[in-house]
Amino acid sequence: MCGIVAYIGSKLAYPVILNGLRRLEYRGYDSAGLAFIENGNLEIHKKSGKVQSLEEHVGDHPINAKIGIGHTRWATHGQPSDINAHPHLSRSGRLALVHNGIIENYSVIREELEQKGYRFESETDTEVLVNFIEDVALHHDGSLEEAVCLALERVVGAYGIVILSLDHPDTIIAARKSSPLVIGIGENEFFVASDATPFLEHTKEVIYLKEERLAVIRGGEITVTDFQNV
């Protein structure tokens, strides 16, 4: 059972997310990964195996980002491997996404994207989803959150997703359908996770994201809407 942890605020994101992933180890998983935005770069670290293996993989590499996402994966599409681990990047490298759940029609969407010239490194439905969202955004004049909702209207299945965008380095976008997401509200900081366990040491104020809702955390504020009213 997969786990999600995301953070945006005044603290260093790496230790918050790493400790959060450790608290989700009880859910079971086969790989773990992290993505951060720092100094105009979207940086990803991921590794098959335990969170400890991910921490060793990162090593002494300095991560001073104040925004990031993390994930523990239980294989559904594709065997446990570094490549299939989350987060997944879009083709441009400007979007990163973590995902709990199963996209049932991912093969149809993947074929459509391949016909447009997209190529995929992993076997996952998640890499298909992040590229589908980017493709919709490229052909849509509105906001990224509008593109996310338009893409999700095509998706069949269950998902809890969190997205980072290099073009919006102060923003976290989260959405869910049939896969829980909880948002923690601290003092000038926000957390997103599969359950409240990863952030209870930081805050007790939580929002349980309702079915087919999208949350946008930006500029120290959170907005929650349904998919049709973004």
Side-chain angles (χ1 to χ4, degrees), residues 15 20 24 40 48 51 56 60 84-85 90 104 120 128 131 135 139 144-145 153 167 177 183 209 223 230:
L24 290 177
S48 62
V51 172
E56 292 170 357
D60 295 329
N84 287 332
S90 63
E104 297 173 10
F120 297 92
V128 172
N131 278 288
D135 188 68
H139 297 90
L144 176 59
E145 47 264 42
E153 287 180 3
D167 297 315
K177 179 181 179 182
I183 300 169
L209 200 60
T223 302
V230 171

Side-chain angles (χ1 to χ4, degrees), residues 17 34 52 85 101 115 120 126 135 138 147 163 167 172 181 192 196 219:
I17 294 173
L34 308 152
Q52 180 66 34
Q115 290 173 356
F120 297 92
T126 304
D135 188 68
L138 289 171
I163 300 170
D167 297 315
I172 285 177
L181 285 178
V192 185

Side-chain angles (χ1 to χ4, degrees), residues 185-229:
I185 303 173
E187 188 173 345
N188 300 316
E189 60 184 359
F190 294 87
F191 309 80
V192 185
S194 307
D195 61 50
T197 308
F199 57 74
L200 284 178
E201 66 181 292
H202 301 284
T203 182
K204 300 295 190 296
E205 185 177 354
V206 302
I207 296 173
Y208 290 90
L209 200 60
K210 294 182 179 179
E211 186 76 351
E212 296 191 24
R213 294 293 193 275
L214 179 112
V216 179
I217 303 169
R218 177 186 294 128
E221 297 182 353
I222 181 169
T223 302
V224 178
T225 58
D226 59 45
F227 294 164
Q228 289 73 39
N229 293 306

Side-chain angles (χ1 to χ4, degrees), residues 47-202:
K47 196 72 177 171
S48 62
K50 299 300 182 182
V51 172
Q52 180 66 34
S53 299
L54 173 64
E55 185 177 15
E56 292 170 357
H57 174 68
V58 174
D60 295 329
H61 180 81
I63 301 174
N64 298 312
K66 303 295 180 67
I67 180 174
I69 56 178
H71 192 263
T72 52
R73 174 182 184 260
W74 185 264
T76 52
H77 295 100
Q79 65 183 355
S81 69
D82 294 354
I83 291 176
N84 287 332
H86 298 203
H88 284 282
L89 280 174
S90 63
R91 179 172 66 172
S92 71
R94 304 193 73 79
L95 292 182
L97 182 145
V98 292
H99 164 225
N100 290 353
I102 298 176
I103 306 304
E104 297 173 10
N105 63 335
Y106 87 102
S107 59
V108 174
I109 297 172
R110 176 170 176 149
E111 183 176 340
E112 292 177 6
L113 292 173
E114 287 176 334
Q115 290 173 356
K116 293 181 177 182
Y118 285 79
R119 295 294 178 264
F120 297 92
E121 295 183 358
S122 77
E123 304 166 83
T124 67
D125 53 348
T126 304
E127 187 186 8
V128 172
L129 181 57
V130 70
N131 278 288
F132 184 45
I133 290 171
E134 180 169 89
D135 188 68
V136 171
L138 289 171
H139 297 90
H140 177 67
D141 292 332
S143 65
L144 176 59
E145 47 264 42
E146 289 173 344
V148 170
C149 290
L150 288 171
L152 292 178
E153 287 180 3
R154 280 282 316 278
V155 167
V156 177
Y159 52 80
I161 62 171
V162 184
I163 300 170
L164 291 185
S165 168
L166 196 54
D167 297 315
H168 306 279
D170 64 342
T171 300
I172 285 177
I173 296 176
R176 67 152 296 207
K177 179 181 179 182
S178 303
S179 184
L181 285 178
V182 183
I183 300 169
I185 303 173
E187 188 173 345
N188 300 316
E189 60 184 359
F190 294 87
F191 309 80
V192 185
S194 307
D195 61 50
T197 308
F199 57 74
L200 284 178
E201 66 181 292
H202 301 284

